[in-house]
Structures are given as C-alpha cells and as structure tokens.
Amino acid sequence: MALFQSSTRTIPVAPKVPRHVAIIMDGNGRWAKQRFLPRVAGHQRGVECLRETVKACGALGVEYLTVFAFSSENWRRPADEVSFLMQLFLKMLQREVAKLHDNNIRLKVIGDLQRFDAELNRHIQDAERLTANNTGLTLTIAANYGGRWDIMHATRAMLKARPELLGSFSETDLEPYLSMHYAPEPDLFIRTGGEQRISNFLLWQLAYTELYFTDTLWPAFDRAALEAAIQSYQQRERRFGRTSDQLLGDQLPGDKSSNSSINGEQTDA
Ligand code: IPE
Ligand code: IPE
Ligand code: MG
C-alpha cells in the first residue's frame, strides 16, 4: 500500500512550497581552504548552516528536509577526516536532539548504519525514538547512505519477507522497503558547492524531482539562498511526462481533475 503518490504511477500534487527538500551539502572543504583553515573547520561550520536551514524550512512550511551528511563513498577520504566527521555526527546528536525535540521535529537517519560504532548507533536509536511522534518537520540525515545501496537493500529485504515475489514484483511491492518509505518523493533537490551531479544520493526518489545547483558553498548557504532555490522551483513546470498544453488544460476553471492522482492510487491526503 503506497502512502504517498509515486511520480511514475500517478501524477503527484505539485505543491507551491516544496513539501520535501533534499540537499547535498557540498563545499565544506573548499570553504575552509579559501580561509586557510583545515577542511574540518568547514564541516563544523556546516552544522551551523544545517541548524539554520532546519529553522528556515520549518518557517517556510516545508514538511520534509533530507540532507546528505556522509555518502557510502566518503569512507575513501583520509582516515582523520572520516573520524572527525563521525565525532561531529555524535556530538551533533548529543547537543541538538533535545532542541529538535522541543521544536516538534522528527529525526530520522537513513543509510547502512552497521558500519557505525555501537555508541553512535545507540544515540541514533535514542534520538529517533524520542522524536518519533513529533508532528513538525521531519529531518532525515543520510549517513553512510548510497542510492544504489538503498535499492539493493530494499530488494533483498522485500524478497526475504515475501519470497513469493521472486520473479515478479512491482514498484508498489518494493517501495515500503526503501529507506524513505515514510516520505513523499522530494519536490526540490539542492546541491551546493558547484558540482552538478547526484553522487549516489536518492536515486530512486529523485525520479521527477526538480534539480537546483548553486555555486554557493554549503557553509555559506543561508536563508536567502534557500529562498532563491525555492523561487527557482516555483518557476518550473512540472509535467511528469505530459505536455505543456495538457497542464494548461488542467488549470481551466472548474476542472476538478487538476493535480489529482490518477490510476486510483491511494494518497496521503
Ligand atoms: C561536503 O563537503 C561534506 C561531506 C562530504 C561530508 P566536502 O567535504 O565534500 O567539501 P568539498 O567538496 O571538498 O569542498
Ligand atoms: C556528496 O559530496 C556527499 C555529501 C555531501 C555527503 P562529495 O563531495 O562526497 O561528492 P563528490 O565526490 O564530489 O561527487
Ligand atoms: Mg565535496
């Protein structure tokens, strides 16, 4: 049973303010280098930017914010940088979770958590449990996450739970096992830092997401930069495979089919 509208099986609602924003927070190292600081100073500053972005998203009415904190390929970095990032993640959980909870924010962590140590895993579990019933913004941190890992992991988990599906299964069968099953597909994807690539982030979920790339380095990304991204999103025509004329037809007065789900798919209205 799909909780949210799939962009390939239905024509999802295209909200004016994105319900779900997904961000690749890139450029920390370069930001630090420009200031003759060690790379890790950029990561430290990046946490502050994340705090501001969470606040801004809440204020703007975004419901889901998903951020890429550590990719499955980031283990390839120098050991001391990896270890600093792990420490920073742990500290962030220790320092920020109570505040997130006070602000009614639900925290989720997605990715292959087996590679993290027991202490970090315990903090992740505690934070998720504490905030599970919060009804404000859902903040998802992707850590040791890879889009390919997600799809492979979901497929394995699905076949383990439902072996009868071997040989024939559908998107609807697979989706509950994907790590972002609790959220609609992102409306807006933002990558800071100037690179124009997905770097193995949410491969499945970004199928029809509007992509926005900015040269602004993550530690310099502020509320104005977020608003610029949302403004760009608001100028996009989200066709989901249809023609422009069909969309205009949709907007005729009294046309109740506008932005509606097709194929009788259950929505989360
Ligand atoms: C993103 O910034 C943070 C992580 C990948 C953890 P980078 O560390 O990739 O910064 P640049 O791209 O080297 O500037
Ligand atoms: C992507 O940034 C991952 C995160 C921001 C966590 P990278 O800096 O690792 O990506 P590439 O290597 O430039 O593609
Ligand atoms: Mg980078």
Side-chain angles (χ1 to χ4, degrees), residues 188-192 210-214 221 225 228-229 232 236:
L188 171 63
F189 160 98
I190 299 171
R191 182 173 186 144
T192 62
E210 296 299 329
L211 307 180
Y212 179 85
F213 298 95
T214 171
F221 190 83
S232 164
R236 313 286 179 92

Side-chain angles (χ1 to χ4, degrees), residues 205-242:
Q205 296 82 353
L206 293 174
Y208 271 101
T209 302
E210 296 299 329
L211 307 180
Y212 179 85
F213 298 95
T214 171
D215 288 338
T216 303
L217 303 172
W218 175 250
F221 190 83
D222 57 11
R223 186 171 172 145
L226 175 69
E227 284 174 358
I230 292 179
Q231 238 164 43
S232 164
Y233 163 83
Q234 288 172 338
Q235 279 150 25
R236 313 286 179 92
E237 184 175 65
R238 303 190 71 188
R239 290 193 287 275
F240 299 104
R242 296 163 299 170

Side-chain angles (χ1 to χ4, degrees), residues 158-176:
M158 178 195 68
L159 289 176
K160 194 164 176 223
R162 301 180 61 193
E164 74 279 9
L165 292 178
L166 185 68
S168 173
F169 60 87
S170 66
E171 290 180 17
T172 317
D173 294 323
L174 186 66
E175 269 160 5

Side-chain angles (χ1 to χ4, degrees), residues 16 30 46 78 91 94 98 106 112 130-131 152 171 201 212 214 220 226 245 258:
K16 193 151 191 318
R30 279 164 287 163
K91 268 193 223 153
Q94 287 166 336
R106 174 167 69 142
D112 186 358
L130 175 73
T131 63
M152 295 298 290
E171 290 180 17
F201 196 24
Y212 179 85
T214 171
L226 175 69
D245 286 349
S258 157

Side-chain angles (χ1 to χ4, degrees), residues 25-30 39 43 69 74 77 81 85:
M25 310 180 290
D26 195 22
N28 295 352
R30 279 164 287 163
R39 289 179 55 83
H43 297 319
N74 285 145
R77 294 191 175 199
E81 182 170 340
L85 286 166

Side-chain angles (χ1 to χ4, degrees), residues 2 4-9 20 22 110 145-155 158 169-186 189 198-209 211 265:
F4 293 101
Q5 297 175 312
S6 151
S7 59
T8 46
R9 296 188 310 284
H20 184 176
I110 58 165
Y145 178 86
R148 290 189 180 177
W149 166 83
D150 195 358
I151 296 166
M152 295 298 290
H153 176 262
T155 310
M158 178 195 68
F169 60 87
S170 66
E171 290 180 17
T172 317
D173 294 323
L174 186 66
E175 269 160 5
Y177 297 92
L178 290 165
S179 40
M180 295 239 53
H181 60 87
Y182 53 85
E185 293 171 30
F189 160 98
I198 305 289
S199 299
N200 199 15
F201 196 24
L202 303 162
L203 297 179
W204 179 280
Q205 296 82 353
L206 293 174
Y208 271 101
T209 302
L211 307 180
E265 180 93 7

Side-chain angles (χ1 to χ4, degrees), residues 102-117:
D102 286 346
N103 285 294
N104 196 23
I105 292 166
R106 174 167 69 142
L107 182 74
K108 298 277 223 180
V109 179
I110 58 165
D112 186 358
L113 304 183
Q114 285 174 31
R115 198 145 168 203
F116 295 145
D117 68 26

